[in-house]
Amino acid sequence: MTSAIFLDNVSISYGETPITHDISLDIAEGESFALVGESGSGKTTVLRAIAGLAPEWTGTIRLLGEKRGHGVDRASVKACQMVFQDPYGSLHPRKTVDTVLSEPLAIHGIGNRGERVEEMLRAVGLDRRFRFRFPHQMSGGQRQRVAIARALMLEPKVLLLDEPTSALDVSVQAEILNLLKRLKREQKLTYLLVTHNLPVVSFLCDRLAVMRHGRVVEVARVVQLRSGDFSDPYARELYAASGGESVSV
Ligand SMILES: Nc1ncnc2c1ncn2[C@@H]1O[C@H](COP(=O)(O)OP(=O)(O)O)[C@@H](O)[C@H]1O
Ligand SMILES: [Mg+2]
């Protein structure tokens, strides 16, 4: 079976500064895979390279079997989309939801835009009254629903999610996680999800990789999260710090 996301010895740098070292990952189609690890370990950088937003890297990145180049290109944009951590910053303040959701369709020459926008709003649990709202007229959770909708407009197979709930109130986090779980099932998506939150990993993911100082130090199945069965000392530490048990969301 083709991998959805395949990285072989990917080393990413910003200018002269190396950020990640020899990252190798093989994520199957339909799998949900988490990247965890301390702040600054390079998790966001890995997602950015996969999305074509970090131009300086060596190694191989394949998306759905296709080798990707260093920039943003049409085929990879259609295959793979990223949802950013901060729904406040990621939506343009002067664009309506309608504009934000129609844009990718217009760029890719896809018609029936109004209908598709309304259909997607429904899919992310927003009624049609939201279609002509601006970001400041919505709550954080509603904005993140719009950001998720935008990512799904081109019907990608792969979604890169960078701490998609960490900027939200605790009460709203569960709603967004439930939404992501439902969308994954309905649209047969593959997720690569960055999170600090181990309960989120157990709720949504099949496997996880632990990153530290720009390297993957452990890849484990989520069932190991339940037993704390890690070989890497840092991964064990992280598990202990999480309270050593999975919490249902
Ligand atoms: N645009 C950038 N230019 C230079 N350095 C960056 C840039 N973005 C991130 N970094 C650095 O790369 C390292 C990894 O950052 P990041 O991938 O954001 O980590 P994480 O998401 O795990 O917290 C950090 O040391 C950070 O300071
Ligand atoms: Mg980050």
Side-chain angles (χ1 to χ4, degrees), residues 61-89:
I61 301 179
R62 289 180 192 279
L63 279 173
L64 304 165
E66 296 292 321
K67 219 167 164 171
R68 78 140 23 268
H70 283 71
V72 177
D73 62 89
R74 263 175 123 68
S76 58
V77 163
K78 232 176 157 306
C80 169
Q81 284 279 322
M82 183 157 167
V83 175
F84 298 88
Q85 175 173 6
D86 174 14
Y88 298 88

PDB file of all heavy atoms in Angstrom, residues 61-89:
ATOM      1  N   ILE A  61      10.820  13.596   0.547  1.00  0.00           N
ATOM      2  CA  ILE A  61       9.452  13.651   1.076  1.00  0.00           C
ATOM      3  C   ILE A  61       8.517  13.164  -0.027  1.00  0.00           C
ATOM      4  O   ILE A  61       8.565  13.666  -1.155  1.00  0.00           O
ATOM      5  CB  ILE A  61       9.047  15.087   1.490  1.00  0.00           C
ATOM      6  CG1 ILE A  61       9.995  15.631   2.570  1.00  0.00           C
ATOM      7  CG2 ILE A  61       7.595  15.111   1.973  1.00  0.00           C
ATOM      8  CD1 ILE A  61       9.687  17.065   3.021  1.00  0.00           C
ATOM      9  N   ARG A  62       7.711  12.164   0.276  1.00  0.00           N
ATOM     10  CA  ARG A  62       6.677  11.719  -0.663  1.00  0.00           C
ATOM     11  C   ARG A  62       5.307  11.939  -0.050  1.00  0.00           C
ATOM     12  O   ARG A  62       5.094  11.646   1.127  1.00  0.00           O
ATOM     13  CB  ARG A  62       6.826  10.228  -0.971  1.00  0.00           C
ATOM     14  CG  ARG A  62       8.019   9.887  -1.813  1.00  0.00           C
ATOM     15  CD  ARG A  62       8.054   8.369  -2.055  1.00  0.00           C
ATOM     16  NE  ARG A  62       9.325   7.985  -2.615  1.00  0.00           N
ATOM     17  CZ  ARG A  62       9.639   8.100  -3.909  1.00  0.00           C
ATOM     18  NH1 ARG A  62       8.721   8.538  -4.762  1.00  0.00           N
ATOM     19  NH2 ARG A  62      10.831   7.769  -4.337  1.00  0.00           N
ATOM     20  N   LEU A  63       4.399  12.431  -0.879  1.00  0.00           N
ATOM     21  CA  LEU A  63       2.997  12.568  -0.482  1.00  0.00           C
ATOM     22  C   LEU A  63       2.196  11.646  -1.381  1.00  0.00           C
ATOM     23  O   LEU A  63       2.243  11.808  -2.612  1.00  0.00           O
ATOM     24  CB  LEU A  63       2.527  14.002  -0.710  1.00  0.00           C
ATOM     25  CG  LEU A  63       2.899  15.025   0.360  1.00  0.00           C
ATOM     26  CD1 LEU A  63       2.519  16.421  -0.097  1.00  0.00           C
ATOM     27  CD2 LEU A  63       2.209  14.690   1.672  1.00  0.00           C
ATOM     28  N   LEU A  64       1.508  10.685  -0.817  1.00  0.00           N
ATOM     29  CA  LEU A  64       0.724   9.717  -1.593  1.00  0.00           C
ATOM     30  C   LEU A  64       1.577   9.117  -2.717  1.00  0.00           C
ATOM     31  O   LEU A  64       1.125   8.964  -3.841  1.00  0.00           O
ATOM     32  CB  LEU A  64      -0.520  10.395  -2.175  1.00  0.00           C
ATOM     33  CG  LEU A  64      -1.416  11.071  -1.137  1.00  0.00           C
ATOM     34  CD1 LEU A  64      -2.409  12.017  -1.799  1.00  0.00           C
ATOM     35  CD2 LEU A  64      -2.162  10.040  -0.290  1.00  0.00           C
ATOM     36  N   GLY A  65       2.823   8.845  -2.397  1.00  0.00           N
ATOM     37  CA  GLY A  65       3.714   8.190  -3.360  1.00  0.00           C
ATOM     38  C   GLY A  65       4.456   9.137  -4.288  1.00  0.00           C
ATOM     39  O   GLY A  65       5.394   8.734  -4.963  1.00  0.00           O
ATOM     40  N   GLU A  66       4.028  10.392  -4.342  1.00  0.00           N
ATOM     41  CA  GLU A  66       4.668  11.353  -5.254  1.00  0.00           C
ATOM     42  C   GLU A  66       5.730  12.149  -4.506  1.00  0.00           C
ATOM     43  O   GLU A  66       5.438  12.762  -3.482  1.00  0.00           O
ATOM     44  CB  GLU A  66       3.620  12.343  -5.802  1.00  0.00           C
ATOM     45  CG  GLU A  66       2.534  11.731  -6.653  1.00  0.00           C
ATOM     46  CD  GLU A  66       3.072  11.217  -7.978  1.00  0.00           C
ATOM     47  OE1 GLU A  66       3.953  11.895  -8.564  1.00  0.00           O
ATOM     48  OE2 GLU A  66       2.626  10.141  -8.411  1.00  0.00           O
ATOM     49  N   LYS A  67       6.914  12.153  -5.092  1.00  0.00           N
ATOM     50  CA  LYS A  67       7.993  12.932  -4.494  1.00  0.00           C
ATOM     51  C   LYS A  67       7.648  14.417  -4.560  1.00  0.00           C
ATOM     52  O   LYS A  67       7.253  14.907  -5.617  1.00  0.00           O
ATOM     53  CB  LYS A  67       9.255  12.687  -5.325  1.00  0.00           C
ATOM     54  CG  LYS A  67      10.505  12.560  -4.527  1.00  0.00           C
ATOM     55  CD  LYS A  67      11.599  11.996  -5.418  1.00  0.00           C
ATOM     56  CE  LYS A  67      12.936  12.217  -4.796  1.00  0.00           C
ATOM     57  NZ  LYS A  67      13.999  11.521  -5.503  1.00  0.00           N
ATOM     58  N   ARG A  68       7.745  15.116  -3.445  1.00  0.00           N
ATOM     59  CA  ARG A  68       7.430  16.535  -3.510  1.00  0.00           C
ATOM     60  C   ARG A  68       8.702  17.372  -3.644  1.00  0.00           C
ATOM     61  O   ARG A  68       9.766  17.005  -3.184  1.00  0.00           O
ATOM     62  CB  ARG A  68       6.577  16.987  -2.329  1.00  0.00           C
ATOM     63  CG  ARG A  68       7.311  17.195  -1.055  1.00  0.00           C
ATOM     64  CD  ARG A  68       6.959  18.386  -0.173  1.00  0.00           C
ATOM     65  NE  ARG A  68       5.702  19.053  -0.202  1.00  0.00           N
ATOM     66  CZ  ARG A  68       5.444  20.124  -0.967  1.00  0.00           C
ATOM     67  NH1 ARG A  68       6.350  20.580  -1.791  1.00  0.00           N
ATOM     68  NH2 ARG A  68       4.295  20.726  -0.875  1.00  0.00           N
ATOM     69  N   GLY A  69       8.556  18.512  -4.313  1.00  0.00           N
ATOM     70  CA  GLY A  69       9.672  19.442  -4.456  1.00  0.00           C
ATOM     71  C   GLY A  69       9.721  20.390  -3.275  1.00  0.00           C
ATOM     72  O   GLY A  69       9.087  20.147  -2.248  1.00  0.00           O
ATOM     73  N   HIS A  70      10.444  21.484  -3.434  1.00  0.00           N
ATOM     74  CA  HIS A  70      10.679  22.357  -2.291  1.00  0.00           C
ATOM     75  C   HIS A  70       9.672  23.489  -2.120  1.00  0.00           C
ATOM     76  O   HIS A  70       9.634  24.118  -1.084  1.00  0.00           O
ATOM     77  CB  HIS A  70      12.097  22.899  -2.339  1.00  0.00           C
ATOM     78  CG  HIS A  70      13.096  21.877  -1.912  1.00  0.00           C
ATOM     79  ND1 HIS A  70      13.398  20.786  -2.683  1.00  0.00           N
ATOM     80  CD2 HIS A  70      13.814  21.751  -0.777  1.00  0.00           C
ATOM     81  CE1 HIS A  70      14.276  20.036  -2.038  1.00  0.00           C
ATOM     82  NE2 HIS A  70      14.551  20.593  -0.887  1.00  0.00           N
ATOM     83  N   GLY A  71       8.863  23.743  -3.132  1.00  0.00           N
ATOM     84  CA  GLY A  71       7.921  24.857  -2.984  1.00  0.00           C
ATOM     85  C   GLY A  71       6.497  24.368  -2.845  1.00  0.00           C
ATOM     86  O   GLY A  71       6.240  23.178  -2.686  1.00  0.00           O
ATOM     87  N   VAL A  72       5.581  25.305  -2.904  1.00  0.00           N
ATOM     88  CA  VAL A  72       4.163  24.968  -2.911  1.00  0.00           C
ATOM     89  C   VAL A  72       3.779  24.721  -4.366  1.00  0.00           C
ATOM     90  O   VAL A  72       3.980  25.583  -5.207  1.00  0.00           O
ATOM     91  CB  VAL A  72       3.329  26.137  -2.343  1.00  0.00           C
ATOM     92  CG1 VAL A  72       1.849  25.828  -2.418  1.00  0.00           C
ATOM     93  CG2 VAL A  72       3.748  26.440  -0.911  1.00  0.00           C
ATOM     94  N   ASP A  73       3.286  23.548  -4.676  1.00  0.00           N
ATOM     95  CA  ASP A  73       2.851  23.303  -6.057  1.00  0.00           C
ATOM     96  C   ASP A  73       1.421  22.778  -6.056  1.00  0.00           C
ATOM     97  O   ASP A  73       0.923  22.284  -5.054  1.00  0.00           O
ATOM     98  CB  ASP A  73       3.794  22.314  -6.754  1.00  0.00           C
ATOM     99  CG  ASP A  73       3.777  20.982  -6.064  1.00  0.00           C
ATOM    100  OD1 ASP A  73       2.941  20.136  -6.424  1.00  0.00           O
ATOM    101  OD2 ASP A  73       4.587  20.774  -5.122  1.00  0.00           O
ATOM    102  N   ARG A  74       0.781  22.933  -7.191  1.00  0.00           N
ATOM    103  CA  ARG A  74      -0.647  22.598  -7.311  1.00  0.00           C
ATOM    104  C   ARG A  74      -0.996  21.200  -6.823  1.00  0.00           C
ATOM    105  O   ARG A  74      -1.945  21.025  -6.071  1.00  0.00           O
ATOM    106  CB  ARG A  74      -1.041  22.694  -8.783  1.00  0.00           C
ATOM    107  CG  ARG A  74      -1.680  23.996  -9.159  1.00  0.00           C
ATOM    108  CD  ARG A  74      -1.903  23.976 -10.662  1.00  0.00           C
ATOM    109  NE  ARG A  74      -3.298  24.180 -11.021  1.00  0.00           N
ATOM    110  CZ  ARG A  74      -3.959  25.317 -10.841  1.00  0.00           C
ATOM    111  NH1 ARG A  74      -3.391  26.339 -10.265  1.00  0.00           N
ATOM    112  NH2 ARG A  74      -5.216  25.426 -11.231  1.00  0.00           N
ATOM    113  N   ALA A  75      -0.209  20.218  -7.254  1.00  0.00           N
ATOM    114  CA  ALA A  75      -0.565  18.831  -6.929  1.00  0.00           C
ATOM    115  C   ALA A  75      -0.475  18.591  -5.421  1.00  0.00           C
ATOM    116  O   ALA A  75      -1.372  17.977  -4.831  1.00  0.00           O
ATOM    117  CB  ALA A  75       0.365  17.868  -7.665  1.00  0.00           C
ATOM    118  N   SER A  76       0.580  19.105  -4.797  1.00  0.00           N
ATOM    119  CA  SER A  76       0.715  18.823  -3.370  1.00  0.00           C
ATOM    120  C   SER A  76      -0.276  19.643  -2.540  1.00  0.00           C
ATOM    121  O   SER A  76      -0.722  19.197  -1.491  1.00  0.00           O
ATOM    122  CB  SER A  76       2.155  19.047  -2.897  1.00  0.00           C
ATOM    123  OG  SER A  76       2.555  20.352  -3.158  1.00  0.00           O
ATOM    124  N   VAL A  77      -0.637  20.837  -3.025  1.00  0.00           N
ATOM    125  CA  VAL A  77      -1.656  21.629  -2.329  1.00  0.00           C
ATOM    126  C   VAL A  77      -2.988  20.888  -2.323  1.00  0.00           C
ATOM    127  O   VAL A  77      -3.722  20.873  -1.341  1.00  0.00           O
ATOM    128  CB  VAL A  77      -1.815  23.020  -2.991  1.00  0.00           C
ATOM    129  CG1 VAL A  77      -3.117  23.686  -2.580  1.00  0.00           C
ATOM    130  CG2 VAL A  77      -0.638  23.907  -2.614  1.00  0.00           C
ATOM    131  N   LYS A  78      -3.282  20.248  -3.427  1.00  0.00           N
ATOM    132  CA  LYS A  78      -4.529  19.505  -3.518  1.00  0.00           C
ATOM    133  C   LYS A  78      -4.488  18.250  -2.646  1.00  0.00           C
ATOM    134  O   LYS A  78      -5.484  17.843  -2.070  1.00  0.00           O
ATOM    135  CB  LYS A  78      -4.812  19.129  -4.975  1.00  0.00           C
ATOM    136  CG  LYS A  78      -6.206  19.552  -5.383  1.00  0.00           C
ATOM    137  CD  LYS A  78      -6.480  19.286  -6.825  1.00  0.00           C
ATOM    138  CE  LYS A  78      -7.977  19.179  -7.062  1.00  0.00           C
ATOM    139  NZ  LYS A  78      -8.692  18.226  -6.251  1.00  0.00           N
ATOM    140  N   ALA A  79      -3.312  17.632  -2.558  1.00  0.00           N
ATOM    141  CA  ALA A  79      -3.189  16.382  -1.808  1.00  0.00           C
ATOM    142  C   ALA A  79      -3.140  16.615  -0.307  1.00  0.00           C
ATOM    143  O   ALA A  79      -3.578  15.786   0.479  1.00  0.00           O
ATOM    144  CB  ALA A  79      -1.924  15.640  -2.255  1.00  0.00           C
ATOM    145  N   CYS A  80      -2.597  17.758   0.095  1.00  0.00           N
ATOM    146  CA  CYS A  80      -2.210  17.920   1.488  1.00  0.00           C
ATOM    147  C   CYS A  80      -2.383  19.360   1.931  1.00  0.00           C
ATOM    148  O   CYS A  80      -1.913  20.277   1.270  1.00  0.00           O
ATOM    149  CB  CYS A  80      -0.737  17.496   1.573  1.00  0.00           C
ATOM    150  SG  CYS A  80       0.064  17.890   3.110  1.00  0.00           S
ATOM    151  N   GLN A  81      -3.074  19.553   3.035  1.00  0.00           N
ATOM    152  CA  GLN A  81      -3.333  20.894   3.547  1.00  0.00           C
ATOM    153  C   GLN A  81      -2.958  20.974   5.015  1.00  0.00           C
ATOM    154  O   GLN A  81      -2.970  19.971   5.724  1.00  0.00           O
ATOM    155  CB  GLN A  81      -4.826  21.219   3.405  1.00  0.00           C
ATOM    156  CG  GLN A  81      -5.228  21.544   1.988  1.00  0.00           C
ATOM    157  CD  GLN A  81      -4.904  22.989   1.630  1.00  0.00           C
ATOM    158  OE1 GLN A  81      -5.054  23.893   2.455  1.00  0.00           O
ATOM    159  NE2 GLN A  81      -4.449  23.214   0.413  1.00  0.00           N
ATOM    160  N   MET A  82      -2.654  22.178   5.465  1.00  0.00           N
ATOM    161  CA  MET A  82      -2.229  22.364   6.853  1.00  0.00           C
ATOM    162  C   MET A  82      -3.225  23.244   7.604  1.00  0.00           C
ATOM    163  O   MET A  82      -3.711  24.233   7.064  1.00  0.00           O
ATOM    164  CB  MET A  82      -0.842  23.004   6.844  1.00  0.00           C
ATOM    165  CG  MET A  82      -0.223  23.194   8.204  1.00  0.00           C
ATOM    166  SD  MET A  82       1.596  23.294   8.065  1.00  0.00           S
ATOM    167  CE  MET A  82       1.999  23.898   9.701  1.00  0.00           C
ATOM    168  N   VAL A  83      -3.516  22.872   8.833  1.00  0.00           N
ATOM    169  CA  VAL A  83      -4.328  23.700   9.729  1.00  0.00           C
ATOM    170  C   VAL A  83      -3.397  24.215  10.824  1.00  0.00           C
ATOM    171  O   VAL A  83      -2.716  23.426  11.487  1.00  0.00           O
ATOM    172  CB  VAL A  83      -5.481  22.884  10.358  1.00  0.00           C
ATOM    173  CG1 VAL A  83      -6.238  23.723  11.390  1.00  0.00           C
ATOM    174  CG2 VAL A  83      -6.437  22.385   9.280  1.00  0.00           C
ATOM    175  N   PHE A  84      -3.373  25.519  10.987  1.00  0.00           N
ATOM    176  CA  PHE A  84      -2.421  26.121  11.906  1.00  0.00           C
ATOM    177  C   PHE A  84      -2.987  26.208  13.311  1.00  0.00           C
ATOM    178  O   PHE A  84      -4.188  26.119  13.530  1.00  0.00           O
ATOM    179  CB  PHE A  84      -2.023  27.504  11.397  1.00  0.00           C
ATOM    180  CG  PHE A  84      -1.346  27.432  10.056  1.00  0.00           C
ATOM    181  CD1 PHE A  84      -2.090  27.461   8.882  1.00  0.00           C
ATOM    182  CD2 PHE A  84       0.034  27.294   9.964  1.00  0.00           C
ATOM    183  CE1 PHE A  84      -1.476  27.370   7.634  1.00  0.00           C
ATOM    184  CE2 PHE A  84       0.651  27.198   8.731  1.00  0.00           C
ATOM    185  CZ  PHE A  84      -0.100  27.244   7.560  1.00  0.00           C
ATOM    186  N   GLN A  85      -2.065  26.427  14.232  1.00  0.00           N
ATOM    187  CA  GLN A  85      -2.409  26.426  15.649  1.00  0.00           C
ATOM    188  C   GLN A  85      -3.420  27.516  16.015  1.00  0.00           C
ATOM    189  O   GLN A  85      -4.332  27.302  16.799  1.00  0.00           O
ATOM    190  CB  GLN A  85      -1.108  26.640  16.428  1.00  0.00           C
ATOM    191  CG  GLN A  85      -1.300  26.777  17.911  1.00  0.00           C
ATOM    192  CD  GLN A  85       0.054  26.806  18.625  1.00  0.00           C
ATOM    193  OE1 GLN A  85       1.107  26.836  17.987  1.00  0.00           O
ATOM    194  NE2 GLN A  85       0.010  26.783  19.926  1.00  0.00           N
ATOM    195  N   ASP A  86      -3.216  28.691  15.425  1.00  0.00           N
ATOM    196  CA  ASP A  86      -3.912  29.865  15.927  1.00  0.00           C
ATOM    197  C   ASP A  86      -4.992  30.331  14.953  1.00  0.00           C
ATOM    198  O   ASP A  86      -4.701  30.988  13.967  1.00  0.00           O
ATOM    199  CB  ASP A  86      -2.869  30.971  16.127  1.00  0.00           C
ATOM    200  CG  ASP A  86      -3.524  32.282  16.517  1.00  0.00           C
ATOM    201  OD1 ASP A  86      -4.717  32.256  16.891  1.00  0.00           O
ATOM    202  OD2 ASP A  86      -2.854  33.314  16.440  1.00  0.00           O
ATOM    203  N   PRO A  87      -6.253  30.027  15.244  1.00  0.00           N
ATOM    204  CA  PRO A  87      -7.311  30.414  14.296  1.00  0.00           C
ATOM    205  C   PRO A  87      -7.507  31.925  14.251  1.00  0.00           C
ATOM    206  O   PRO A  87      -8.178  32.427  13.362  1.00  0.00           O
ATOM    207  CB  PRO A  87      -8.555  29.717  14.830  1.00  0.00           C
ATOM    208  CG  PRO A  87      -8.301  29.501  16.276  1.00  0.00           C
ATOM    209  CD  PRO A  87      -6.806  29.367  16.445  1.00  0.00           C
ATOM    210  N   TYR A  88      -6.924  32.671  15.205  1.00  0.00           N
ATOM    211  CA  TYR A  88      -7.020  34.132  15.161  1.00  0.00           C
ATOM    212  C   TYR A  88      -6.079  34.650  14.088  1.00  0.00           C
ATOM    213  O   TYR A  88      -6.433  35.479  13.272  1.00  0.00           O
ATOM    214  CB  TYR A  88      -6.660  34.740  16.518  1.00  0.00           C
ATOM    215  CG  TYR A  88      -7.608  34.279  17.581  1.00  0.00           C
ATOM    216  CD1 TYR A  88      -7.376  33.106  18.277  1.00  0.00           C
ATOM    217  CD2 TYR A  88      -8.764  35.001  17.846  1.00  0.00           C
ATOM    218  CE1 TYR A  88      -8.277  32.658  19.233  1.00  0.00           C
ATOM    219  CE2 TYR A  88      -9.665  34.560  18.794  1.00  0.00           C
ATOM    220  CZ  TYR A  88      -9.421  33.391  19.488  1.00  0.00           C
ATOM    221  OH  TYR A  88     -10.312  32.945  20.408  1.00  0.00           O
ATOM    222  N   GLY A  89      -4.848  34.130  14.111  1.00  0.00           N
ATOM    223  CA  GLY A  89      -3.851  34.609  13.172  1.00  0.00           C
ATOM    224  C   GLY A  89      -4.005  34.044  11.775  1.00  0.00           C
ATOM    225  O   GLY A  89      -3.586  34.659  10.802  1.00  0.00           O
TER     226      GLY A  89
END
